[in-house]
Amino acid sequence: KGQTVIFDAVSTLVNKGVMVRLSMYSHTPSNAYRERLLNTVEEIGITEHVEFMPAKNTDEMLREYRNHDIFVYSGWVRSERDANIETYARATGRCGTRLYSLIEAMAAGLPVVCASERQVVGAVENGGNGLVFEKGNASDLVAKIEAIAGMDLRAMGARSRALIEEHHDARDFPARFERFAEIRTKLG
């Protein structure tokens, strides 16, 4: 996905003396992929600041989110598999799994920092429930994390939750979330 951008941002924050801990939850990736991520984290010297966690069910993830201060969505790096997922999503009206974690984090009441992608940027009220950074730009992500750390995280998290409650129903939330994000994006 966009892990290297997050790793670079964590490295920069650590080098500035900021206390930061990154928890990455994921379905068990291939051993080669996991090894690449671990090697990257080790190479840039942030091993003690990054924790790789196995994916959990929705209820467990909601509890996990409550132990964190912010949620970062770093964007999606497209592959042929992603194109197939997007085709499936358009045909079925279901959003891709990449949006579920953002929706869950907002429902759990976390402020969000999201990459500037059409599918998600509309879910962020800049300064209301989170901030948007330029996709792929670790320096901008660092700036947004530093900015959001000085804001009222509790109020921003409450706004995230309110947006989900206002615009989503568990029976059809994937399709409604995408429509919600698209409409907010068009409105600016």
Side-chain angles (χ1 to χ4, degrees), residues 13-130:
L13 290 165
V14 167
N15 289 333
K16 288 182 167 189
V18 176
M19 292 184 56
V20 62
R21 181 84 184 147
L22 171 64
S23 301
M24 296 191 72
Y25 296 86
S26 176
H27 293 285
T28 306
S30 71
N31 287 335
Y33 180 71
R34 181 176 170 77
E35 285 303 312
R36 278 196 313 269
L37 292 177
L38 291 169
N39 288 338
T40 300
V41 165
E42 187 174 330
E43 285 172 14
I44 61 177
I46 58 170
T47 304
E48 66 234 30
H49 300 279
V50 179
E51 182 177 28
F52 292 96
M53 304 291 292
K56 300 177 182 290
N57 68 39
T58 301
D59 290 336
E60 292 170 325
M61 281 309 303
L62 290 173
R63 283 191 294 277
E64 290 293 322
Y65 288 134
R66 290 185 179 110
N67 293 322
H68 293 80
D69 296 318
I70 64 171
F71 177 85
V72 175
Y73 174 80
S74 60
W76 194 259
V77 177
R78 290 182 51 83
S79 68
E80 183 178 327
R81 180 176 175 270
D82 300 331
N84 292 336
I85 290 169
E86 289 176 7
T87 300
Y88 169 79
R90 280 192 298 275
T92 62
R94 296 182 180 155
C95 70
T97 56
R98 66 183 186 267
L99 299 179
Y100 290 136
S101 58
L102 174 61
I103 295 167
E104 288 174 346
M106 290 174 65
L110 281 179
V112 295
V113 177
C114 293
S116 55
E117 284 189 345
R118 180 185 59 83
Q119 296 93 338
V120 298
V121 73
V124 179
E125 291 179 344
N126 220 18
N129 71 318

Side-chain angles (χ1 to χ4, degrees), residues 117-185:
E117 284 189 345
R118 180 185 59 83
Q119 296 93 338
V120 298
V121 73
V124 179
E125 291 179 344
N126 220 18
N129 71 318
L131 297 171
V132 176
F133 72 97
E134 180 185 342
K135 182 178 177 180
N137 185 333
S139 296
D140 194 34
L141 174 56
V142 168
K144 297 308 190 285
I145 291 171
E146 289 176 326
I148 205 170
M151 296 177 173
D152 185 347
L153 297 180
R154 183 168 295 191
M156 293 177 89
R159 184 63 187 144
S160 280
R161 181 159 177 92
L163 285 167
I164 294 299
E165 290 174 348
E166 181 180 333
H167 295 283
H168 302 288
D169 181 314
R171 295 174 298 243
D172 68 352
F173 87 90
R176 289 186 67 183
F177 180 83
E178 286 196 358
R179 283 194 304 273
F180 162 69
E182 286 179 25
I183 289 168
R184 288 191 50 80
T185 300

